[in-house]
Amino acid sequence: MGGEVRVKTLKTLGRGVMGAAAVLTMVTITAGEAYAQAGRERVIEGNRLYDEGRFSEAHQKYLEAMAEAPGSPVIPFNDGNALYQDADYARAMEAYERAIETGDPAFASDAWYNLGNALFRAQQLEESLEAFKQSLRLDPSDPDAKHNLERVLEQMQQQEQQQEQGGEDEQDQQPQEGQDGDQNPNEDQGDQQDQEQDSEDERDQGQDPSEG
């Protein structure tokens, strides 16, 4: 059967962070994809290296493929996955954005989804939230996008609570600092009185009674 086969592979990306295994979508290319024929062999090689966990080498193959087929959405999409697995989230974002910019609706939802994952890893939570929302607009039935969107919201709420707690701690410390500060003027007044007394003693000593 001709056409493109899109394979969802489960990649464990830290269950403690996302709350569940995140899903990255890898795309394979068949002989029927005319737009990708130029880079087909290199994409196949890149996919093989990716499956072996050799993500840096896979990235290089995808770069070679993109040079031959710059208009393909498949290649930057898979390149983004390789960069993501190599923890190079900034460049993974750029790759997913290139896939989105091709305007191919077959890749848009998954590209937004994977972009949301990369943004989450980079702790760009607001941008991650918007990416998952966009993914859901294009595919409202995607349970993984729904789950990750909720996880981002939870993370944002936790950060807000931590910031509020930090502000309360600072306010609790202010009265103590004020008490310390109140003591300093008294000390300064005491020093000033001592200095004035010393000046009077010096003036008394400087007067000679016999001269009067």
Side-chain angles (χ1 to χ4, degrees):
M1 184 175 178
E4 180 180 285
V5 180
R6 302 176 68 186
V7 182
K8 275 196 171 183
T9 55
L10 289 175
K11 304 296 180 183
T12 303
L13 304 175
R15 300 178 70 91
V17 177
M18 293 299 291
V23 177
L24 287 180
T25 305
M26 283 297 293
V27 179
T28 59
I29 297 175
T30 67
E33 295 292 345
Y35 69 84
Q37 283 302 300
R40 179 175 180 273
E41 294 300 325
R42 285 178 171 77
V43 170
I44 291 173
E45 180 65 13
N47 289 352
R48 181 185 66 81
L49 292 166
Y50 180 97
D51 289 338
E52 294 175 359
R54 297 158 66 180
F55 304 120
S56 295
E57 296 174 64
H59 165 62
Q60 293 302 320
K61 287 298 178 182
Y62 294 139
L63 288 181
E64 295 172 9
M66 275 189 282
E68 296 179 3
S72 169
V74 175
I75 304 168
F77 186 88
N78 283 4
D79 186 42
N81 286 357
L83 291 165
Y84 182 98
Q85 296 288 10
D86 221 16
D88 192 345
Y89 303 124
R91 287 201 293 171
M93 294 176 211
E94 294 174 358
Y96 294 135
E97 288 170 351
R98 284 195 298 270
I100 293 168
E101 288 168 0
T102 65
D104 192 325
F107 294 89
S109 177
D110 289 333
W112 279 108
Y113 173 88
N114 286 359
L115 176 60
N117 282 339
L119 288 163
F120 182 90
R121 295 298 183 182
Q123 286 298 294
Q124 298 181 35
L125 299 183
E126 291 185 5
E127 294 84 351
S128 176
L129 183 67
E130 290 304 315
F132 287 126
K133 285 181 179 179
Q134 185 62 29
S135 178
L136 281 169
R137 290 187 187 105
L138 297 168
D139 184 6
S141 64
D142 186 349
D144 295 312
K146 290 178 181 178
H147 170 83
N148 285 359
L149 185 146
E150 292 172 358
R151 185 66 186 91
V152 173
L153 285 172
E154 291 175 3
Q155 185 81 2
M156 293 174 70
Q157 290 173 355
Q158 289 176 6
Q159 288 190 359
E160 185 177 352
Q161 290 173 356
Q162 290 173 356
Q163 291 172 356
E164 290 176 354
Q165 183 63 42
E168 291 175 0
D169 292 343
E170 291 179 0
Q171 291 177 357
D172 292 341
Q173 293 175 0
Q174 285 178 358
Q176 182 62 37
E177 293 174 355
Q179 291 175 6
D180 294 341
D182 291 342
Q183 294 175 0
N184 291 333
N186 294 333
E187 293 175 358
D188 293 340
Q189 290 176 2
D191 293 341
Q192 185 176 359
Q193 291 176 356
D194 293 341
Q195 291 174 359
E196 291 175 353
Q197 183 65 43
D198 292 342
S199 298
E200 291 176 359
D201 293 343
E202 290 175 357
R203 285 197 296 271
D204 292 342
Q205 293 173 3
Q207 292 177 354
D208 189 346
S210 61
E211 292 177 358

